[in-house]
């Protein structure tokens, strides 16, 4: 049964990944064709010596940890050439109940590059939003706040994390809620709502007049609401600023 499970696990790995079966004492017992084609037949040799020319096990090797924990372990390694590989170590027992691991190697260089690009884009967007005078909200179809720009703290008195996950009624007076829900319904039908005036509530309970522009945004195949709002007036001599997307 263990042997069949091992064979099933190996056969399920895509051909573009490298697969080794390695014993607890680091001997390579199996290589898939992708590794044989690239490195030659290394069976019977210590993995750290055969693949890396080392005299002792790699310091960051997950083999021992996987055998000790009995759980799959994963590490990323970036080579001098700039390539990044993910190594997964899957522990198992063979037909004789001997502990071994299946080591699966995946080239994740492009995935890492894309993730880094996304991170930089998000950091750039975050910097822009922190400096935008308007308050920007992203609402779900049910009116749940999924995102709000940092400027909300200046205008509403809330930190973003205090509003994310809350319903729009958190910042909308009860008497204004029907108006807000109608705007939500209109936007979900694909309409753009511009220069819509509505009162809002700050964290202190003070009512603030706002002018709202709301736009439909597609997300995961559903229309959500993105809106900006700015103060329609000055209150108590203080320019409230901000613009909000409802």
């Amino acid at each position: 049964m263990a042997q069949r499970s091992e064979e099933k696990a190996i056969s399920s790995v895509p051909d573009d990944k490298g697969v080794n079966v390695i014993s607890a004492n680091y001997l390579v017992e199996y290589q898939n064709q992708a590794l044989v084609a690239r490195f030659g037949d290394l069976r019977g040799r210590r993995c750290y010596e055969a693949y890396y020319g080392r005299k002792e096990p790699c310091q960051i090797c997950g083999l021992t940890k996987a055998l000790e924990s009995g759980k799959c372990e994963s590490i990323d390694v970036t080579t001098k050439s700039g390539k990044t590989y993910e190594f997964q170590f899957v522990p198992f027992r063979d037909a004789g109940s001997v502990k071994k691991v299946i080591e699966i190697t995946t080239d994740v260089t492009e995935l890492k590059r894309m993730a880094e690009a996304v991170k930089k884009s998000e950091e750039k967007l975050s910097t822009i939003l922190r400096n935008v005078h308007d308050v920007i909200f992203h609402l779900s179809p049910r009116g749940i706040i999924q995102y709000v720009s940092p400027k909300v703290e200046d205008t509403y008195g809330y930190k973003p994390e205090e509003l994310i996950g809350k319903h729009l009624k958190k910042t909308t007076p009860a008497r204004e809620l029907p108006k807000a829900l109608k705007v939500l319904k209109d936007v979900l039908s694909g309409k753009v709502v511009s220069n819509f005036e509505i009162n809002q509530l700050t964290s202190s309970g003070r009512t603030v007049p706002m002018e709202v522009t709301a736009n439909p945004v597609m997300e995961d195949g559903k229309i959500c609401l993105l809106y900006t709002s700015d103060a329609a007036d000055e209150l108590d001599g203080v320019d409230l600023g901000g613009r909000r997307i409802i």
Side-chain angles (χ1 to χ4, degrees):
M1 179 66 72
Q3 183 68 23
R4 287 199 297 272
S5 298
E6 173 191 344
E7 292 173 352
K8 183 178 180 181
I10 292 173
S11 64
S12 67
V13 177
D15 294 337
D16 62 338
K17 299 178 184 288
V19 180
N20 287 302
V21 172
I22 304 176
S23 68
N25 59 353
Y26 303 99
L27 289 177
V28 178
E29 296 187 355
Y30 167 86
Q31 295 169 281
N32 71 345
Q33 191 55 44
L35 290 181
V36 173
R38 182 172 179 182
F39 298 100
D41 188 349
L42 304 179
R43 288 175 299 175
R45 298 174 61 184
R46 309 279 182 191
C47 57
Y48 54 83
E49 179 271 325
Y51 284 110
Y52 307 108
R54 296 175 59 89
K55 295 182 179 180
E56 55 187 25
C58 305
Q59 293 181 345
I60 60 172
C61 180
L63 183 148
T64 301
K65 190 174 181 180
L67 291 177
E68 291 176 350
S69 68
K71 299 178 181 179
C72 178
E73 300 291 339
S74 179
I75 60 172
D76 287 352
V77 176
T78 300
T79 66
K80 292 180 179 179
S81 66
K83 287 273 192 179
T84 300
Y85 295 91
E86 177 189 62
F87 292 86
Q88 291 179 293
F89 299 87
V90 184
F92 73 98
R93 290 179 182 271
D94 66 10
S97 197
V98 178
K99 289 184 177 181
K100 299 176 183 180
V101 298
I102 298 173
E103 180 195 67
I104 304 171
T105 307
T106 307
D107 185 344
V108 295
T109 306
E110 185 61 18
L111 288 176
K112 290 287 185 180
R113 187 196 65 76
M114 292 172 62
E116 185 62 27
V118 169
K119 181 181 178 182
K120 288 181 179 179
S121 294
E122 289 177 342
E123 290 173 348
K124 183 177 180 179
L125 178 59
S126 178
T127 299
I128 292 172
L129 291 176
R130 282 197 300 270
N131 291 280
V132 169
H133 186 62
D134 299 342
V135 180
I136 300 176
F137 284 76
H138 183 192
L139 304 185
S140 75
R142 299 184 64 181
I144 303 301
I145 300 170
Q146 297 182 318
Y147 169 83
V148 60
S149 62
K151 194 67 179 179
V152 71
E153 188 169 0
D154 295 339
T155 306
Y156 287 79
Y158 289 106
K159 294 183 181 298
E161 56 268 26
E162 294 178 302
L163 292 178
I164 293 173
K166 301 293 192 301
H167 192 268
L168 61 85
K169 64 184 179 182
K170 178 77 172 179
T171 58
T172 305
R175 65 181 179 276
E176 297 278 60
L177 194 55
K179 291 169 60 177
L181 293 177
K182 183 180 184 304
V183 171
L184 178 60
K185 183 178 179 180
D186 287 345
V187 173
L188 291 177
S189 70
K191 297 179 181 178
V192 174
V193 177
S194 301
N195 304 320
F196 175 75
E197 293 186 2
I198 188 171
N199 290 322
Q200 291 286 274
L201 284 176
T202 67
S203 61
S204 64
R206 188 172 57 170
T207 300
V208 180
M210 289 284 180
E211 188 174 273
V212 171
T213 296
N215 297 274
V217 175
M218 290 297 296
E219 184 177 275
D220 297 329
K222 298 179 180 179
I223 295 180
C224 298
L225 187 63
L226 183 68
Y227 75 92
T228 60
S229 66
D230 59 12
D233 202 350
E234 289 188 358
L235 189 63
D236 297 333
V238 178
D239 185 357
L240 297 171
R243 204 182 165 83
R244 167 176 179 168
I245 299 178
I246 187 172

mmCIF file of all heavy atoms in Angstrom, residues 141-184:
data_model
loop_
_atom_site.group_PDB
_atom_site.id
_atom_site.type_symbol
_atom_site.label_atom_id
_atom_site.label_comp_id
_atom_site.label_asym_id
_atom_site.label_seq_id
_atom_site.Cartn_x
_atom_site.Cartn_y
_atom_site.Cartn_z
ATOM 1 N N PRO A 141 -21.412 44.353 -2.864
ATOM 2 C CA PRO A 141 -22.806 44.519 -3.287
ATOM 3 C C PRO A 141 -23.783 44.628 -2.118
ATOM 4 O O PRO A 141 -24.885 45.154 -2.270
ATOM 5 C CB PRO A 141 -23.076 43.260 -4.116
ATOM 6 C CG PRO A 141 -21.728 42.896 -4.664
ATOM 7 C CD PRO A 141 -20.777 43.198 -3.541
ATOM 8 N N ARG A 142 -23.388 44.159 -0.942
ATOM 9 C CA ARG A 142 -24.270 44.219 0.234
ATOM 10 C C ARG A 142 -23.984 45.436 1.103
ATOM 11 O O ARG A 142 -24.539 45.577 2.190
ATOM 12 C CB ARG A 142 -24.128 42.934 1.060
ATOM 13 C CG ARG A 142 -24.505 41.680 0.296
ATOM 14 C CD ARG A 142 -24.461 40.446 1.161
ATOM 15 N NE ARG A 142 -25.449 40.502 2.225
ATOM 16 C CZ ARG A 142 -25.600 39.547 3.143
ATOM 17 N NH1 ARG A 142 -24.828 38.468 3.104
ATOM 18 N NH2 ARG A 142 -26.504 39.663 4.086
ATOM 19 N N GLY A 143 -23.088 46.305 0.606
ATOM 20 C CA GLY A 143 -22.809 47.538 1.347
ATOM 21 C C GLY A 143 -21.758 47.399 2.428
ATOM 22 O O GLY A 143 -21.633 48.260 3.305
ATOM 23 N N ILE A 144 -20.963 46.318 2.363
ATOM 24 C CA ILE A 144 -19.897 46.120 3.336
ATOM 25 C C ILE A 144 -18.634 46.833 2.849
ATOM 26 O O ILE A 144 -18.241 46.703 1.691
ATOM 27 C CB ILE A 144 -19.593 44.625 3.542
ATOM 28 C CG1 ILE A 144 -20.867 43.884 3.973
ATOM 29 C CG2 ILE A 144 -18.491 44.439 4.582
ATOM 30 C CD1 ILE A 144 -21.506 44.397 5.247
ATOM 31 N N ILE A 145 -18.005 47.589 3.731
ATOM 32 C CA ILE A 145 -16.790 48.323 3.379
ATOM 33 C C ILE A 145 -15.627 47.341 3.258
ATOM 34 O O ILE A 145 -15.230 46.708 4.244
ATOM 35 C CB ILE A 145 -16.477 49.399 4.435
ATOM 36 C CG1 ILE A 145 -17.634 50.400 4.533
ATOM 37 C CG2 ILE A 145 -15.174 50.132 4.090
ATOM 38 C CD1 ILE A 145 -17.528 51.366 5.705
ATOM 39 N N GLN A 146 -15.084 47.213 2.065
ATOM 40 C CA GLN A 146 -13.971 46.297 1.831
ATOM 41 C C GLN A 146 -12.629 47.008 1.809
ATOM 42 O O GLN A 146 -11.593 46.398 2.028
ATOM 43 C CB GLN A 146 -14.200 45.548 0.512
ATOM 44 C CG GLN A 146 -15.453 44.682 0.530
ATOM 45 C CD GLN A 146 -15.642 43.909 -0.759
ATOM 46 O OE1 GLN A 146 -15.434 44.422 -1.851
ATOM 47 N NE2 GLN A 146 -16.049 42.653 -0.640
ATOM 48 N N TYR A 147 -12.675 48.273 1.498
ATOM 49 C CA TYR A 147 -11.452 49.090 1.504
ATOM 50 C C TYR A 147 -11.849 50.530 1.750
ATOM 51 O O TYR A 147 -12.919 50.983 1.316
ATOM 52 C CB TYR A 147 -10.708 49.005 0.166
ATOM 53 C CG TYR A 147 -9.603 50.046 0.063
ATOM 54 C CD1 TYR A 147 -8.349 49.809 0.624
ATOM 55 C CD2 TYR A 147 -9.836 51.285 -0.542
ATOM 56 C CE1 TYR A 147 -7.350 50.778 0.575
ATOM 57 C CE2 TYR A 147 -8.847 52.252 -0.591
ATOM 58 C CZ TYR A 147 -7.604 51.994 -0.033
ATOM 59 O OH TYR A 147 -6.628 52.954 -0.069
ATOM 60 N N VAL A 148 -11.009 51.267 2.459
ATOM 61 C CA VAL A 148 -11.186 52.710 2.618
ATOM 62 C C VAL A 148 -9.793 53.329 2.698
ATOM 63 O O VAL A 148 -8.883 52.779 3.317
ATOM 64 C CB VAL A 148 -12.024 53.051 3.872
ATOM 65 C CG1 VAL A 148 -11.370 52.538 5.146
ATOM 66 C CG2 VAL A 148 -12.267 54.554 3.954
ATOM 67 N N SER A 149 -9.613 54.444 2.013
ATOM 68 C CA SER A 149 -8.291 55.073 1.948
ATOM 69 C C SER A 149 -7.907 55.709 3.283
ATOM 70 O O SER A 149 -8.771 56.058 4.093
ATOM 71 C CB SER A 149 -8.261 56.124 0.839
ATOM 72 O OG SER A 149 -9.188 57.155 1.106
ATOM 73 N N PRO A 150 -6.605 55.864 3.532
ATOM 74 C CA PRO A 150 -6.124 56.419 4.806
ATOM 75 C C PRO A 150 -6.681 57.804 5.142
ATOM 76 O O PRO A 150 -6.761 58.174 6.311
ATOM 77 C CB PRO A 150 -4.603 56.477 4.601
ATOM 78 C CG PRO A 150 -4.326 55.409 3.593
ATOM 79 C CD PRO A 150 -5.504 55.444 2.663
ATOM 80 N N LYS A 151 -7.081 58.561 4.121
ATOM 81 C CA LYS A 151 -7.604 59.915 4.350
ATOM 82 C C LYS A 151 -8.864 59.905 5.206
ATOM 83 O O LYS A 151 -9.269 60.938 5.750
ATOM 84 C CB LYS A 151 -7.901 60.565 2.995
ATOM 85 C CG LYS A 151 -8.130 62.073 3.079
ATOM 86 C CD LYS A 151 -6.870 62.816 3.476
ATOM 87 C CE LYS A 151 -7.108 64.330 3.525
ATOM 88 N NZ LYS A 151 -5.886 65.054 3.928
ATOM 89 N N VAL A 152 -9.498 58.733 5.352
ATOM 90 C CA VAL A 152 -10.725 58.633 6.126
ATOM 91 C C VAL A 152 -10.520 59.100 7.566
ATOM 92 O O VAL A 152 -11.441 59.638 8.195
ATOM 93 C CB VAL A 152 -11.274 57.186 6.107
ATOM 94 C CG1 VAL A 152 -10.399 56.254 6.939
ATOM 95 C CG2 VAL A 152 -12.718 57.150 6.604
ATOM 96 N N GLU A 153 -9.320 58.927 8.084
ATOM 97 C CA GLU A 153 -9.075 59.309 9.474
ATOM 98 C C GLU A 153 -9.183 60.819 9.658
ATOM 99 O O GLU A 153 -9.695 61.292 10.686
ATOM 100 C CB GLU A 153 -7.703 58.818 9.929
ATOM 101 C CG GLU A 153 -7.461 59.004 11.417
ATOM 102 C CD GLU A 153 -6.222 58.297 11.930
ATOM 103 O OE1 GLU A 153 -5.528 57.634 11.115
ATOM 104 O OE2 GLU A 153 -5.950 58.387 13.127
ATOM 105 N N ASP A 154 -8.725 61.582 8.663
ATOM 106 C CA ASP A 154 -8.816 63.045 8.760
ATOM 107 C C ASP A 154 -10.261 63.525 8.668
ATOM 108 O O ASP A 154 -10.649 64.492 9.327
ATOM 109 C CB ASP A 154 -8.002 63.705 7.647
ATOM 110 C CG ASP A 154 -6.511 63.447 7.779
ATOM 111 O OD1 ASP A 154 -6.073 63.120 8.908
ATOM 112 O OD2 ASP A 154 -5.794 63.562 6.770
ATOM 113 N N THR A 155 -11.047 62.861 7.829
ATOM 114 C CA THR A 155 -12.408 63.317 7.554
ATOM 115 C C THR A 155 -13.451 62.716 8.485
ATOM 116 O O THR A 155 -14.349 63.398 8.960
ATOM 117 C CB THR A 155 -12.783 62.989 6.098
ATOM 118 O OG1 THR A 155 -11.796 63.524 5.228
ATOM 119 C CG2 THR A 155 -14.149 63.566 5.740
ATOM 120 N N TYR A 156 -13.322 61.411 8.771
ATOM 121 C CA TYR A 156 -14.322 60.720 9.573
ATOM 122 C C TYR A 156 -13.872 60.445 11.005
ATOM 123 O O TYR A 156 -14.687 60.116 11.859
ATOM 124 C CB TYR A 156 -14.696 59.392 8.917
ATOM 125 C CG TYR A 156 -15.534 59.529 7.675
ATOM 126 C CD1 TYR A 156 -14.968 59.863 6.458
ATOM 127 C CD2 TYR A 156 -16.906 59.313 7.706
ATOM 128 C CE1 TYR A 156 -15.732 59.988 5.310
ATOM 129 C CE2 TYR A 156 -17.686 59.427 6.567
ATOM 130 C CZ TYR A 156 -17.089 59.769 5.365
ATOM 131 O OH TYR A 156 -17.861 59.891 4.235
ATOM 132 N N GLY A 157 -12.573 60.503 11.235
ATOM 133 C CA GLY A 157 -12.073 60.228 12.580
ATOM 134 C C GLY A 157 -11.840 58.758 12.858
ATOM 135 O O GLY A 157 -11.445 58.376 13.959
ATOM 136 N N TYR A 158 -12.072 57.908 11.854
ATOM 137 C CA TYR A 158 -11.842 56.470 11.996
ATOM 138 C C TYR A 158 -10.528 56.082 11.340
ATOM 139 O O TYR A 158 -10.143 56.647 10.313
ATOM 140 C CB TYR A 158 -12.952 55.670 11.308
ATOM 141 C CG TYR A 158 -14.300 55.698 11.983
ATOM 142 C CD1 TYR A 158 -15.340 56.449 11.438
ATOM 143 C CD2 TYR A 158 -14.547 54.942 13.126
ATOM 144 C CE1 TYR A 158 -16.600 56.461 12.030
ATOM 145 C CE2 TYR A 158 -15.802 54.956 13.726
ATOM 146 C CZ TYR A 158 -16.822 55.721 13.177
ATOM 147 O OH TYR A 158 -18.058 55.728 13.762
ATOM 148 N N LYS A 159 -9.872 55.083 11.894
ATOM 149 C CA LYS A 159 -8.762 54.448 11.194
ATOM 150 C C LYS A 159 -9.363 53.475 10.182
ATOM 151 O O LYS A 159 -10.448 52.925 10.427
ATOM 152 C CB LYS A 159 -7.856 53.705 12.169
ATOM 153 C CG LYS A 159 -7.119 54.617 13.154
ATOM 154 C CD LYS A 159 -6.195 53.808 14.032
ATOM 155 C CE LYS A 159 -5.484 54.705 15.040
ATOM 156 N NZ LYS A 159 -4.634 55.707 14.382
ATOM 157 N N PRO A 160 -8.707 53.243 9.044
ATOM 158 C CA PRO A 160 -9.271 52.330 8.035
ATOM 159 C C PRO A 160 -9.694 50.987 8.601
ATOM 160 O O PRO A 160 -10.766 50.468 8.262
ATOM 161 C CB PRO A 160 -8.127 52.194 7.023
ATOM 162 C CG PRO A 160 -7.404 53.500 7.112
ATOM 163 C CD PRO A 160 -7.445 53.854 8.580
ATOM 164 N N GLU A 161 -8.863 50.411 9.472
ATOM 165 C CA GLU A 161 -9.170 49.078 9.997
ATOM 166 C C GLU A 161 -10.417 49.070 10.889
ATOM 167 O O GLU A 161 -10.998 48.000 11.140
ATOM 168 C CB GLU A 161 -7.978 48.514 10.778
ATOM 169 C CG GLU A 161 -7.480 49.380 11.920
ATOM 170 C CD GLU A 161 -6.378 50.345 11.509
ATOM 171 O OE1 GLU A 161 -6.313 50.712 10.313
ATOM 172 O OE2 GLU A 161 -5.583 50.704 12.398
ATOM 173 N N GLU A 162 -10.841 50.240 11.362
ATOM 174 C CA GLU A 162 -12.051 50.315 12.177
ATOM 175 C C GLU A 162 -13.317 50.261 11.326
ATOM 176 O O GLU A 162 -14.411 49.990 11.851
ATOM 177 C CB GLU A 162 -12.051 51.599 13.011
ATOM 178 C CG GLU A 162 -10.953 51.659 14.063
ATOM 179 C CD GLU A 162 -10.953 52.964 14.829
ATOM 180 O OE1 GLU A 162 -10.828 54.037 14.193
ATOM 181 O OE2 GLU A 162 -11.079 52.914 16.072
ATOM 182 N N LEU A 163 -13.187 50.510 10.024
ATOM 183 C CA LEU A 163 -14.347 50.514 9.133
ATOM 184 C C LEU A 163 -14.410 49.310 8.208
ATOM 185 O O LEU A 163 -15.502 48.896 7.794
ATOM 186 C CB LEU A 163 -14.346 51.798 8.286
ATOM 187 C CG LEU A 163 -14.595 53.107 9.056
ATOM 188 C CD1 LEU A 163 -14.519 54.293 8.108
ATOM 189 C CD2 LEU A 163 -15.944 53.077 9.767
ATOM 190 N N ILE A 164 -13.248 48.759 7.857
ATOM 191 C CA ILE A 164 -13.241 47.608 6.946
ATOM 192 C C ILE A 164 -13.996 46.433 7.572
ATOM 193 O O ILE A 164 -13.753 46.054 8.711
ATOM 194 C CB ILE A 164 -11.792 47.206 6.594
ATOM 195 C CG1 ILE A 164 -11.141 48.311 5.762
ATOM 196 C CG2 ILE A 164 -11.754 45.888 5.835
ATOM 197 C CD1 ILE A 164 -9.673 48.109 5.485
ATOM 198 N N GLY A 165 -14.928 45.891 6.802
ATOM 199 C CA GLY A 165 -15.752 44.798 7.300
ATOM 200 C C GLY A 165 -17.073 45.269 7.895
ATOM 201 O O GLY A 165 -17.945 44.457 8.201
ATOM 202 N N LYS A 166 -17.222 46.588 8.044
ATOM 203 C CA LYS A 166 -18.458 47.148 8.594
ATOM 204 C C LYS A 166 -19.410 47.554 7.474
ATOM 205 O O LYS A 166 -19.000 47.814 6.350
ATOM 206 C CB LYS A 166 -18.142 48.380 9.458
ATOM 207 C CG LYS A 166 -17.201 48.103 10.621
ATOM 208 C CD LYS A 166 -17.845 47.199 11.639
ATOM 209 C CE LYS A 166 -17.058 47.136 12.944
ATOM 210 N NZ LYS A 166 -15.678 46.668 12.781
ATOM 211 N N HIS A 167 -20.716 47.625 7.794
ATOM 212 C CA HIS A 167 -21.717 48.056 6.823
ATOM 213 C C HIS A 167 -21.655 49.572 6.677
ATOM 214 O O HIS A 167 -21.215 50.287 7.602
ATOM 215 C CB HIS A 167 -23.109 47.629 7.289
ATOM 216 C CG HIS A 167 -24.169 47.774 6.261
ATOM 217 N ND1 HIS A 167 -24.934 48.925 6.143
ATOM 218 C CD2 HIS A 167 -24.600 46.933 5.278
ATOM 219 C CE1 HIS A 167 -25.789 48.782 5.150
ATOM 220 N NE2 HIS A 167 -25.607 47.587 4.606
ATOM 221 N N LEU A 168 -22.104 50.093 5.527
ATOM 222 C CA LEU A 168 -22.048 51.535 5.276
ATOM 223 C C LEU A 168 -22.850 52.351 6.296
ATOM 224 O O LEU A 168 -22.628 53.555 6.469
ATOM 225 C CB LEU A 168 -22.518 51.851 3.854
ATOM 226 C CG LEU A 168 -23.942 51.493 3.426
ATOM 227 C CD1 LEU A 168 -24.932 52.586 3.826
ATOM 228 C CD2 LEU A 168 -24.008 51.270 1.932
ATOM 229 N N LYS A 169 -23.782 51.689 7.001
ATOM 230 C CA LYS A 169 -24.561 52.408 8.012
ATOM 231 C C LYS A 169 -23.688 52.865 9.181
ATOM 232 O O LYS A 169 -24.124 53.703 9.975
ATOM 233 C CB LYS A 169 -25.708 51.539 8.523
ATOM 234 C CG LYS A 169 -25.296 50.277 9.258
ATOM 235 C CD LYS A 169 -26.525 49.453 9.642
ATOM 236 C CE LYS A 169 -26.130 48.160 10.363
ATOM 237 N NZ LYS A 169 -27.330 47.335 10.680
ATOM 238 N N LYS A 170 -22.477 52.317 9.255
ATOM 239 C CA LYS A 170 -21.542 52.749 10.294
ATOM 240 C C LYS A 170 -21.241 54.238 10.165
ATOM 241 O O LYS A 170 -21.040 54.926 11.175
ATOM 242 C CB LYS A 170 -20.242 51.940 10.176
ATOM 243 C CG LYS A 170 -19.152 52.312 11.166
ATOM 244 C CD LYS A 170 -19.415 51.763 12.541
ATOM 245 C CE LYS A 170 -18.220 51.984 13.462
ATOM 246 N NZ LYS A 170 -18.481 51.475 14.829
ATOM 247 N N THR A 171 -21.216 54.753 8.927
ATOM 248 C CA THR A 171 -20.901 56.165 8.704
ATOM 249 C C THR A 171 -22.072 56.925 8.080
ATOM 250 O O THR A 171 -21.888 58.037 7.575
ATOM 251 C CB THR A 171 -19.667 56.295 7.786
ATOM 252 O OG1 THR A 171 -19.934 55.637 6.545
ATOM 253 C CG2 THR A 171 -18.431 55.692 8.433
ATOM 254 N N THR A 172 -23.248 56.310 8.100
ATOM 255 C CA THR A 172 -24.423 56.937 7.490
ATOM 256 C C THR A 172 -25.529 57.100 8.530
ATOM 257 O O THR A 172 -25.946 56.107 9.136
ATOM 258 C CB THR A 172 -24.958 56.093 6.319
ATOM 259 O OG1 THR A 172 -23.904 55.871 5.382
ATOM 260 C CG2 THR A 172 -26.110 56.792 5.625
ATOM 261 N N PRO A 173 -26.007 58.322 8.749
ATOM 262 C CA PRO A 173 -27.116 58.526 9.696
ATOM 263 C C PRO A 173 -28.330 57.703 9.288
ATOM 264 O O PRO A 173 -28.567 57.473 8.092
ATOM 265 C CB PRO A 173 -27.397 60.026 9.581
ATOM 266 C CG PRO A 173 -26.137 60.627 9.057
ATOM 267 C CD PRO A 173 -25.563 59.575 8.138
ATOM 268 N N ALA A 174 -29.108 57.256 10.266
ATOM 269 C CA ALA A 174 -30.271 56.397 9.991
ATOM 270 C C ALA A 174 -31.226 57.041 8.992
ATOM 271 O O ALA A 174 -31.760 56.369 8.106
ATOM 272 C CB ALA A 174 -30.997 56.085 11.301
ATOM 273 N N ARG A 175 -31.423 58.353 9.109
ATOM 274 C CA ARG A 175 -32.374 59.017 8.212
ATOM 275 C C ARG A 175 -31.847 59.124 6.783
ATOM 276 O O ARG A 175 -32.617 59.351 5.844
ATOM 277 C CB ARG A 175 -32.709 60.410 8.744
ATOM 278 C CG ARG A 175 -31.547 61.378 8.762
ATOM 279 C CD ARG A 175 -31.957 62.737 9.324
ATOM 280 N NE ARG A 175 -30.852 63.661 9.374
ATOM 281 C CZ ARG A 175 -29.962 63.716 10.353
ATOM 282 N NH1 ARG A 175 -30.061 62.862 11.390
ATOM 283 N NH2 ARG A 175 -28.981 64.600 10.340
ATOM 284 N N GLU A 176 -30.530 58.952 6.608
ATOM 285 C CA GLU A 176 -29.922 59.037 5.288
ATOM 286 C C GLU A 176 -29.708 57.663 4.657
ATOM 287 O O GLU A 176 -29.353 57.549 3.484
ATOM 288 C CB GLU A 176 -28.566 59.756 5.381
ATOM 289 C CG GLU A 176 -28.630 61.199 5.849
ATOM 290 C CD GLU A 176 -28.976 62.128 4.709
ATOM 291 O OE1 GLU A 176 -30.056 61.957 4.109
ATOM 292 O OE2 GLU A 176 -28.171 63.023 4.414
ATOM 293 N N LEU A 177 -29.921 56.612 5.452
ATOM 294 C CA LEU A 177 -29.634 55.254 4.982
ATOM 295 C C LEU A 177 -30.446 54.877 3.734
ATOM 296 O O LEU A 177 -29.884 54.284 2.801
ATOM 297 C CB LEU A 177 -29.869 54.241 6.099
ATOM 298 C CG LEU A 177 -29.308 52.833 5.883
ATOM 299 C CD1 LEU A 177 -27.813 52.887 5.574
ATOM 300 C CD2 LEU A 177 -29.557 51.964 7.111
ATOM 301 N N PRO A 178 -31.761 55.209 3.658
ATOM 302 C CA PRO A 178 -32.509 54.887 2.430
ATOM 303 C C PRO A 178 -31.892 55.517 1.188
ATOM 304 O O PRO A 178 -31.853 54.897 0.124
ATOM 305 C CB PRO A 178 -33.906 55.453 2.719
ATOM 306 C CG PRO A 178 -34.027 55.411 4.204
ATOM 307 C CD PRO A 178 -32.653 55.773 4.703
ATOM 308 N N LYS A 179 -31.384 56.742 1.296
ATOM 309 C CA LYS A 179 -30.761 57.419 0.163
ATOM 310 C C LYS A 179 -29.482 56.674 -0.244
ATOM 311 O O LYS A 179 -29.222 56.458 -1.428
ATOM 312 C CB LYS A 179 -30.419 58.873 0.531
ATOM 313 C CG LYS A 179 -31.627 59.766 0.713
ATOM 314 C CD LYS A 179 -31.242 61.100 1.341
ATOM 315 C CE LYS A 179 -30.255 61.869 0.486
ATOM 316 N NZ LYS A 179 -29.943 63.198 1.082
ATOM 317 N N ALA A 180 -28.697 56.270 0.758
ATOM 318 C CA ALA A 180 -27.440 55.575 0.478
ATOM 319 C C ALA A 180 -27.695 54.225 -0.184
ATOM 320 O O ALA A 180 -27.003 53.834 -1.130
ATOM 321 C CB ALA A 180 -26.646 55.388 1.769
ATOM 322 N N LEU A 181 -28.722 53.507 0.299
ATOM 323 C CA LEU A 181 -29.036 52.191 -0.271
ATOM 324 C C LEU A 181 -29.572 52.314 -1.690
ATOM 325 O O LEU A 181 -29.335 51.437 -2.531
ATOM 326 C CB LEU A 181 -30.052 51.479 0.619
ATOM 327 C CG LEU A 181 -29.530 51.082 2.021
ATOM 328 C CD1 LEU A 181 -30.645 50.456 2.843
ATOM 329 C CD2 LEU A 181 -28.336 50.142 1.919
ATOM 330 N N LYS A 182 -30.297 53.421 -1.974
ATOM 331 C CA LYS A 182 -30.779 53.641 -3.337
ATOM 332 C C LYS A 182 -29.607 53.879 -4.288
ATOM 333 O O LYS A 182 -29.580 53.368 -5.415
ATOM 334 C CB LYS A 182 -31.729 54.831 -3.395
ATOM 335 C CG LYS A 182 -32.317 55.056 -4.796
ATOM 336 C CD LYS A 182 -33.259 56.225 -4.835
ATOM 337 C CE LYS A 182 -33.900 56.354 -6.221
ATOM 338 N NZ LYS A 182 -32.909 56.457 -7.311
ATOM 339 N N VAL A 183 -28.615 54.649 -3.824
ATOM 340 C CA VAL A 183 -27.410 54.881 -4.634
ATOM 341 C C VAL A 183 -26.704 53.551 -4.884
ATOM 342 O O VAL A 183 -26.261 53.260 -6.009
ATOM 343 C CB VAL A 183 -26.466 55.872 -3.939
ATOM 344 C CG1 VAL A 183 -25.124 55.929 -4.667
ATOM 345 C CG2 VAL A 183 -27.090 57.263 -3.907
ATOM 346 N N LEU A 184 -26.608 52.741 -3.846
ATOM 347 C CA LEU A 184 -25.978 51.428 -3.983
ATOM 348 C C LEU A 184 -26.711 50.593 -5.037
ATOM 349 O O LEU A 184 -26.083 49.984 -5.914
ATOM 350 C CB LEU A 184 -25.983 50.706 -2.639
ATOM 351 C CG LEU A 184 -25.394 49.289 -2.607
ATOM 352 C CD1 LEU A 184 -23.940 49.296 -3.041
ATOM 353 C CD2 LEU A 184 -25.538 48.677 -1.226
#
